[in-house]
Amino acid sequence: MNYIVLSRTAWEDYEYKRMLELLPERGEVCFTGAMTPVQQRSSQVRSVTLPELYKLNLQEYTLLVSSPYWLPDVLALQPAYTVALLESCPAGEDAALWDKYSASLGALADLAGTSSERIYLEQNLRRGQIVYLNGDEPVSYGLLRRGERLYFLSDAEAIWNRALTKLWQSPDSVDDGESYLDIQRRLRTRFYLSMCAKLPGEPSVYYLAASYLYLQGDETAAQLLAQSFELMLLHGYTECLHSHYRFFSAMEAKKGNLALALRQYEITAFTEEERARVTQMKLWLHGGEVQQGLLCAELMTVNEDYAAAIELLGQLPGPEAKQRLLHNYTATFQWEKALQLHQELAGKAGDTGSSSAAESTEGKVGNMQGASPGRETSSADELAERIAGQMSVIEGTLHLLYGRRHEAIRSFLRCAGADQGARQLFAEMADLEEAVQKLRGGAAGG
């Protein structure tokens, strides 16, 4: 296997050096940026410039990408596989810009790894295919020999190696047991259960244990969540209905207890939009099987378990399920899928209906993530209109990332006109272009 590193930093500051040493079936490893001859010999990594990179046959390489501002190059290079190394926003970077395009990189990647447990859990609720690169296990989880060197692998390192190996395996290959996703979730669960015993008065460890149990489909998650909720109240943290109590509704929905799940969600519904959603949910509850499926998916969405919502909505018939699937795609930055589905829906609805929906949202462009769960409306028609307004923003951003600048400008103008919305979009476009050029400039001296 051959690898190319697209780093956020110079080689001296690259924080994944040991992970490079543990790459499975490691062939050629290239680093886009300057390295001294001594560094190249000691690491057995070759320095390449961007022009040299574009001359390689990228279908023979996996990209290891640790900055979202490499996205235009990732899309242009079309490697065999892309691995996103997702990081929290570094000091000195625009947090909103970084987080948006980092989420897009994660959505695009075939595999993601992160040292942030917050990002790890977030990705588990979006699509999976994520490795946590920190471990707490005190024992070795395997050995790896590289020439004369012998590496004792931590739990995270062993899972990282296995996940990368899985990328190159044929889809028809025989599975060798428990998946790396399940293994790591189980290990994180075991760690936090042990922490519950060591820190019995700390609500966060119970909440994290409950979160990992939930991801594994373990019904005892509710018991741990209840302990966390009670401790939060005992400590005087009364603003925990959204963060803790609402989580019960996702757990009960997954068990099929939709009436109870709806009651639990209703207790946390304070805003006008949330109350309107409750009204719609009650109609679904007393509908048929498809409508109850919509209710279950909506309970997953409001709890930000987008992966579960997407899986369920993909199995349901009807335009309302497709519109809500489209919303979940935009909320998880799966922009290509969102555009494709929107085009399919527009084709079925006819050009007239699609155009009127787009026109009704002119000048109301929102963030490309889609509205937050607290700002959603329950009306399928209003949801469709809002998403239609987002499509030109998404289309324009994809044009920009693919290097089609003029097409991007036309998409932004078509959506927002010459008002404040357009200025905001063009300001973000300029910020992204500046960040991309700065990153490429740092790699140009390879």
Side-chain angles (χ1 to χ4, degrees):
M1 300 182 188
N2 300 317
Y3 300 88
I4 293 171
V5 177
L6 295 176
S7 174
R8 178 178 62 84
T9 64
W11 175 257
E12 290 82 358
D13 300 317
Y14 187 65
E15 61 180 293
Y16 304 105
K17 291 187 180 76
R18 179 172 167 88
M19 291 298 185
L20 296 185
E21 295 173 355
L22 305 179
L23 293 170
E25 300 180 32
R26 175 176 152 157
E28 181 179 51
V29 180
C30 300
F31 184 87
T32 306
M35 296 177 67
T36 67
V38 172
Q39 289 171 336
Q40 294 185 64
R41 286 195 299 271
S42 62
S43 64
Q44 296 185 327
V45 173
R46 180 166 71 94
S47 174
V48 296
T49 64
L50 271 178
E52 291 171 339
L53 184 63
Y54 274 85
K55 294 177 182 177
L56 298 174
N57 180 5
L58 270 293
Q59 282 299 303
E60 298 177 356
Y61 290 83
T62 292
L63 293 187
L64 305 175
V65 188
S66 54
S67 170
Y69 304 137
W70 283 117
L71 262 172
D73 293 287
V74 172
L75 292 170
L77 290 167
Q78 297 185 338
Y81 299 99
T82 298
V83 177
L85 297 170
L86 302 176
E87 304 175 0
S88 299
C89 182
E93 295 283 359
D94 181 319
L97 194 72
W98 177 276
D99 290 344
K100 176 180 290 188
Y101 289 98
S102 186
S104 178
L105 175 63
L108 170 74
D110 301 288
L111 174 69
T114 182
S115 298
S116 163
E117 191 155 24
R118 176 189 63 81
I119 295 175
Y120 174 66
L121 282 168
E122 182 182 82
Q123 289 293 311
N124 267 281
L125 290 170
R126 290 184 175 182
R127 282 163 310 279
Q129 306 305 315
I130 175 73
V131 175
Y132 183 49
L133 299 178
N134 285 329
D136 304 286
E137 297 289 323
V139 298
S140 171
Y141 273 75
L143 297 173
L144 183 67
R145 184 179 295 278
R146 283 280 186 268
E148 298 180 356
R149 297 190 63 180
L150 191 64
Y151 294 89
F152 291 87
L153 304 181
S154 70
D155 56 319
E157 290 169 345
I159 291 167
W160 160 256
N161 187 281
R162 179 171 176 174
L164 283 170
T165 301
K166 197 75 177 174
L167 280 182
W168 290 80
Q169 290 180 345
S170 166
D172 299 326
S173 61
V174 178
D175 196 353
D176 53 355
E178 191 178 19
S179 74
Y180 69 85
L181 287 169
D182 293 331
I183 292 171
Q184 193 153 54
R185 289 170 180 171
R186 178 169 51 79
L187 292 176
R188 300 310 296 157
T189 303
R190 187 167 70 184
F191 170 74
Y192 280 109
L193 288 175
S194 71
M195 293 300 292
C196 290
K198 295 174 183 177
L199 300 171
E202 177 53 55
S204 62
V205 295
Y206 287 96
Y207 185 85
L208 287 165
S211 298
Y212 283 113
L213 286 167
Y214 169 81
L215 288 170
Q216 296 174 82
D218 191 321
E219 295 186 2
T220 60
Q223 301 172 20
L224 276 295
L225 180 61
Q227 289 178 275
S228 178
F229 182 63
E230 291 169 7
L231 285 169
M232 290 287 284
L233 295 178
L234 287 173
H235 289 181
Y237 299 115
T238 56
E239 301 297 323
C240 57
L241 282 178
H242 280 76
S243 59
H244 284 64
Y245 192 82
R246 181 174 288 186
F247 196 4
F248 286 114
S249 67
M251 295 179 179
E252 294 301 330
K254 278 201 170 181
K255 290 190 287 185
N257 300 329
L258 294 180
L260 175 57
L262 176 51
R263 289 197 298 272
Q264 291 168 332
Y265 173 73
E266 186 175 10
I267 290 171
T268 72
F270 298 133
T271 68
E272 182 180 345
E273 291 83 358
E274 289 172 337
R275 300 302 301 175
R277 186 188 298 114
V278 168
T279 300
Q280 176 64 74
M281 287 179 168
K282 288 180 178 178
L283 294 175
W284 284 336
L285 178 63
H286 300 292
E289 183 178 349
V290 172
Q291 290 189 316
Q292 290 181 357
L294 289 172
L295 169 58
C296 187
E298 190 72 358
L299 287 164
M300 296 299 105
T301 299
V302 297
N303 280 280
E304 299 183 7
D305 189 352
Y306 298 112
I310 287 170
E311 181 179 4
L312 180 53
L313 289 167
Q315 300 169 3
L316 295 177
E320 192 164 15
K322 299 304 180 186
Q323 288 287 0
R324 294 183 182 277
L325 177 60
L326 181 56
H327 166 69
N328 280 273
Y329 280 154
T330 60
T332 53
F333 298 85
Q334 299 183 66
W335 295 336
E336 303 262 13
K337 289 183 179 179
L339 275 180
Q340 181 179 353
L341 180 55
H342 178 69
Q343 290 165 0
E344 291 175 7
L345 292 172
K348 291 179 181 179
D351 294 338
T352 302
S354 177
S355 298
S356 61
E359 289 167 4
S360 68
T361 56
E362 185 174 344
K364 299 179 181 178
V365 181
N367 188 294
M368 287 193 312
Q369 298 181 50
S372 64
R375 295 178 59 194
E376 267 183 278
T377 64
S378 61
S379 165
D381 290 338
E382 292 178 6
L383 178 62
E385 289 179 358
R386 185 170 64 250
I387 291 176
Q390 294 170 334
M391 288 303 107
S392 288
V393 184
I394 292 174
E395 180 186 65
T397 303
L398 286 172
H399 279 315
L400 187 63
L401 291 173
Y402 276 103
R404 301 186 291 262
R405 194 172 190 275
H406 294 298
E407 290 88 340
I409 292 172
R410 283 199 294 270
S411 292
F412 292 155
L413 286 175
R414 184 170 62 249
C415 180
D419 62 2
Q420 181 63 38
R423 289 194 291 273
Q424 180 182 346
L425 291 170
F426 292 138
E428 181 179 303
M429 183 174 79
D431 290 342
L432 176 62
E433 290 177 331
E434 181 181 355
V436 169
Q437 290 306 315
K438 180 180 176 181
L439 184 67
R440 287 173 174 170

